């Protein structure tokens, strides 16, 4: 529905069973796999996708750090990682590496070794705390 009816093609359907996290969005501020949410459940609620992370032409620190740290390869999982990472940093602006890894455990990637993703999130968190 996000892609078909709303033209929001950033979220990817990877598994259709909520196991991979590629379709992660926030629903009223709560991180969910969109493949497990019926369209009717989203009616009247605030849905945030990867398309809502940047501020106009200005990339979010997470997006910039994913690029800087080469934390993406094929890109299928990247939108889900970005949405999940943003949800984490909204709840905990100073996560430990262990907390980042735990929070992102629901997002699967077959291309990277996760280390670059974790480093990108940690770097974005530090930048955001500094207020840049």
């Amino acid at each position: 529905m996000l892609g078909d009816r709303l033209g929001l093609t950033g979220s990817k359907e990877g598994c259709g069973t909520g196991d991979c996290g590629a379709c992660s969005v926030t629903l009223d501020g709560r991180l969910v796999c969109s493949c497990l949410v019926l369209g009717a459940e989203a009616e009247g609620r605030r849905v945030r996708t990867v398309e809502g992370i940047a501020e106009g032409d200005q990339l979010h620190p997470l997006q910039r750090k994913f690029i800087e740290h080469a934390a993406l390869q094929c890109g299928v999982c990247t939108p889900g990682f970005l949405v999940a990472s943003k949800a984490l940093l909204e709840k905990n602006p100073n996560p430990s590496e262990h907390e980042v890894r735990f929070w992102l455990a629901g997002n699967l990637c077959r291309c990277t070794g996760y280390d670059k993703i974790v480093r990108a999130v940690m770097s974005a968190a530090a930048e955001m705390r500094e207020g840049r």
Side-chain angles (χ1 to χ4, degrees):
M1 177 173 182
L2 289 171
D4 297 338
R5 297 212 178 157
L6 300 176
L8 301 174
T9 59
S11 298
K12 307 296 183 211
E13 182 178 354
C15 66
T17 58
D19 294 318
C20 74
C23 66
S24 294
V25 299
T26 59
L27 184 61
D28 290 337
R30 183 170 170 245
L31 184 64
V32 298
C33 290
S34 65
C35 70
L36 299 178
V37 178
L38 296 174
E41 292 179 89
E43 185 175 346
R45 298 173 76 186
R46 186 183 55 170
V47 178
R48 298 267 174 144
T49 67
V50 69
E51 285 89 353
I53 291 180
E55 296 281 337
D57 291 341
Q58 195 75 357
L59 293 180
H60 187 278
L62 279 164
Q63 292 170 307
R64 283 196 328 276
K65 294 301 181 178
F66 265 61
I67 293 167
E68 287 174 23
H69 289 268
L72 49 104
Q73 288 183 14
C74 83
V76 171
C77 67
T78 305
F81 271 107
L82 287 167
V83 169
S85 298
K86 186 172 187 287
L88 166 63
L89 297 182
E90 287 172 353
K91 291 187 182 303
N92 180 0
N94 191 17
S96 67
E97 179 179 334
H98 176 77
E99 290 168 320
V100 171
R101 288 183 183 278
F102 183 79
W103 186 271
L104 297 179
N107 294 77
L108 303 179
C109 176
R110 34 181 288 191
C111 300
T112 70
Y114 298 98
D115 288 331
K116 292 178 181 181
I117 294 168
V118 172
R119 283 196 298 268
V121 174
M122 298 291 290
S123 181
E127 180 179 308
M128 292 166 68
R129 285 191 309 275
E130 292 173 7
R132 288 194 216 161

